PDB file of all heavy atoms in Angstrom:
ATOM      1  N   SER M 716     -34.381 -26.163  75.545  1.00  0.00           N
ATOM      2  CA  SER M 716     -35.681 -25.510  75.432  1.00  0.00           C
ATOM      3  C   SER M 716     -36.820 -26.507  75.570  1.00  0.00           C
ATOM      4  O   SER M 716     -36.769 -27.604  75.008  1.00  0.00           O
ATOM      5  CB  SER M 716     -35.795 -24.806  74.075  1.00  0.00           C
ATOM      6  OG  SER M 716     -37.035 -24.153  73.941  1.00  0.00           O
ATOM      7  N   ARG M 734     -53.213 -13.968  87.013  1.00  0.00           N
ATOM      8  CA  ARG M 734     -53.545 -12.669  86.418  1.00  0.00           C
ATOM      9  C   ARG M 734     -55.014 -12.537  86.038  1.00  0.00           C
ATOM     10  O   ARG M 734     -55.534 -11.431  85.939  1.00  0.00           O
ATOM     11  CB  ARG M 734     -52.709 -12.446  85.149  1.00  0.00           C
ATOM     12  CG  ARG M 734     -51.220 -12.336  85.375  1.00  0.00           C
ATOM     13  CD  ARG M 734     -50.537 -12.216  84.033  1.00  0.00           C
ATOM     14  NE  ARG M 734     -49.094 -12.102  84.159  1.00  0.00           N
ATOM     15  CZ  ARG M 734     -48.255 -12.251  83.150  1.00  0.00           C
ATOM     16  NH1 ARG M 734     -48.738 -12.535  81.942  1.00  0.00           N
ATOM     17  NH2 ARG M 734     -46.965 -12.134  83.343  1.00  0.00           N
ATOM     18  N   PRO M 737     -61.230 -16.629  86.937  1.00  0.00           N
ATOM     19  CA  PRO M 737     -61.377 -18.054  86.581  1.00  0.00           C
ATOM     20  C   PRO M 737     -62.023 -18.287  85.217  1.00  0.00           C
ATOM     21  O   PRO M 737     -61.577 -19.151  84.461  1.00  0.00           O
ATOM     22  CB  PRO M 737     -62.239 -18.601  87.722  1.00  0.00           C
ATOM     23  CG  PRO M 737     -61.905 -17.727  88.887  1.00  0.00           C
ATOM     24  CD  PRO M 737     -61.702 -16.357  88.312  1.00  0.00           C
ATOM     25  N   LEU M 760     -39.620 -24.607  71.927  1.00  0.00           N
ATOM     26  CA  LEU M 760     -40.010 -23.203  72.105  1.00  0.00           C
ATOM     27  C   LEU M 760     -39.048 -22.266  71.400  1.00  0.00           C
ATOM     28  O   LEU M 760     -39.475 -21.293  70.759  1.00  0.00           O
ATOM     29  CB  LEU M 760     -40.073 -22.888  73.602  1.00  0.00           C
ATOM     30  CG  LEU M 760     -40.715 -21.561  73.992  1.00  0.00           C
ATOM     31  CD1 LEU M 760     -42.187 -21.533  73.597  1.00  0.00           C
ATOM     32  CD2 LEU M 760     -40.571 -21.317  75.499  1.00  0.00           C
ATOM     33  N   ASP M 761     -37.743 -22.531  71.503  1.00  0.00           N
ATOM     34  CA  ASP M 761     -36.770 -21.627  70.886  1.00  0.00           C
ATOM     35  C   ASP M 761     -36.639 -21.843  69.382  1.00  0.00           C
ATOM     36  O   ASP M 761     -35.901 -21.117  68.710  1.00  0.00           O
ATOM     37  CB  ASP M 761     -35.408 -21.752  71.568  1.00  0.00           C
ATOM     38  CG  ASP M 761     -34.816 -23.154  71.440  1.00  0.00           C
ATOM     39  OD1 ASP M 761     -35.541 -24.073  71.012  1.00  0.00           O
ATOM     40  OD2 ASP M 761     -33.618 -23.324  71.766  1.00  0.00           O
ATOM     41  N   ASP M 777     -58.890 -21.631  57.540  1.00  0.00           N
ATOM     42  CA  ASP M 777     -59.133 -22.282  56.250  1.00  0.00           C
ATOM     43  C   ASP M 777     -60.292 -23.272  56.354  1.00  0.00           C
ATOM     44  O   ASP M 777     -60.462 -23.935  57.378  1.00  0.00           O
ATOM     45  CB  ASP M 777     -57.880 -23.028  55.779  1.00  0.00           C
ATOM     46  CG  ASP M 777     -56.852 -22.099  55.165  1.00  0.00           C
ATOM     47  OD1 ASP M 777     -57.140 -20.889  55.074  1.00  0.00           O
ATOM     48  OD2 ASP M 777     -55.756 -22.568  54.807  1.00  0.00           O
ATOM     49  N   LYS M 799     -48.990 -13.479  74.374  1.00  0.00           N
ATOM     50  CA  LYS M 799     -48.798 -13.231  75.798  1.00  0.00           C
ATOM     51  C   LYS M 799     -47.882 -14.275  76.429  1.00  0.00           C
ATOM     52  O   LYS M 799     -47.008 -13.948  77.244  1.00  0.00           O
ATOM     53  CB  LYS M 799     -50.153 -13.220  76.513  1.00  0.00           C
ATOM     54  CG  LYS M 799     -51.049 -12.050  76.131  1.00  0.00           C
ATOM     55  CD  LYS M 799     -52.407 -12.164  76.813  1.00  0.00           C
ATOM     56  CE  LYS M 799     -53.321 -11.021  76.391  1.00  0.00           C
ATOM     57  NZ  LYS M 799     -54.668 -11.124  77.008  1.00  0.00           N
ATOM     58  N   ARG M 802     -44.363 -13.656  75.329  1.00  0.00           N
ATOM     59  CA  ARG M 802     -43.830 -12.468  76.008  1.00  0.00           C
ATOM     60  C   ARG M 802     -43.262 -12.841  77.374  1.00  0.00           C
ATOM     61  O   ARG M 802     -42.176 -12.390  77.756  1.00  0.00           O
ATOM     62  CB  ARG M 802     -44.934 -11.421  76.166  1.00  0.00           C
ATOM     63  CG  ARG M 802     -44.500 -10.142  76.891  1.00  0.00           C
ATOM     64  CD  ARG M 802     -45.710  -9.322  77.267  1.00  0.00           C
ATOM     65  NE  ARG M 802     -46.575 -10.059  78.190  1.00  0.00           N
ATOM     66  CZ  ARG M 802     -47.852  -9.741  78.441  1.00  0.00           C
ATOM     67  NH1 ARG M 802     -48.414  -8.739  77.825  1.00  0.00           N
ATOM     68  NH2 ARG M 802     -48.550 -10.457  79.304  1.00  0.00           N
ATOM     69  N   PRO M 821     -54.452 -11.619  63.068  1.00  0.00           N
ATOM     70  CA  PRO M 821     -55.646 -11.739  62.211  1.00  0.00           C
ATOM     71  C   PRO M 821     -56.616 -10.590  62.476  1.00  0.00           C
ATOM     72  O   PRO M 821     -56.713 -10.089  63.595  1.00  0.00           O
ATOM     73  CB  PRO M 821     -56.251 -13.085  62.634  1.00  0.00           C
ATOM     74  CG  PRO M 821     -55.131 -13.826  63.289  1.00  0.00           C
ATOM     75  CD  PRO M 821     -54.263 -12.800  63.929  1.00  0.00           C
ATOM     76  N   GLU M 835     -91.621  -2.535  61.152  1.00  0.00           N
ATOM     77  CA  GLU M 835     -91.388  -3.891  61.639  1.00  0.00           C
ATOM     78  C   GLU M 835     -91.480  -3.956  63.163  1.00  0.00           C
ATOM     79  O   GLU M 835     -91.987  -4.932  63.724  1.00  0.00           O
ATOM     80  CB  GLU M 835     -90.013  -4.379  61.173  1.00  0.00           C
ATOM     81  CG  GLU M 835     -89.936  -4.638  59.672  1.00  0.00           C
ATOM     82  CD  GLU M 835     -88.531  -4.904  59.195  1.00  0.00           C
ATOM     83  OE1 GLU M 835     -87.574  -4.469  59.880  1.00  0.00           O
ATOM     84  OE2 GLU M 835     -88.372  -5.553  58.138  1.00  0.00           O
ATOM     85  N   HIS M 872     -91.453   4.464  92.473  1.00  0.00           N
ATOM     86  CA  HIS M 872     -92.689   5.072  92.975  1.00  0.00           C
ATOM     87  C   HIS M 872     -92.390   6.439  93.562  1.00  0.00           C
ATOM     88  O   HIS M 872     -91.351   6.670  94.159  1.00  0.00           O
ATOM     89  CB  HIS M 872     -93.326   4.168  94.040  1.00  0.00           C
ATOM     90  CG  HIS M 872     -93.769   2.843  93.475  1.00  0.00           C
ATOM     91  ND1 HIS M 872     -94.862   2.702  92.659  1.00  0.00           N
ATOM     92  CD2 HIS M 872     -93.214   1.590  93.589  1.00  0.00           C
ATOM     93  CE1 HIS M 872     -95.000   1.417  92.337  1.00  0.00           C
ATOM     94  NE2 HIS M 872     -94.012   0.729  92.884  1.00  0.00           N
TER      95      HIS M 872
END
Side-chain angles (χ1 to χ4, degrees):
S716 181
R734 295 176 180 166
L760 191 64
D761 62 349
D777 281 358
K799 293 176 182 178
R802 179 193 62 197
E835 290 171 336
H872 296 287

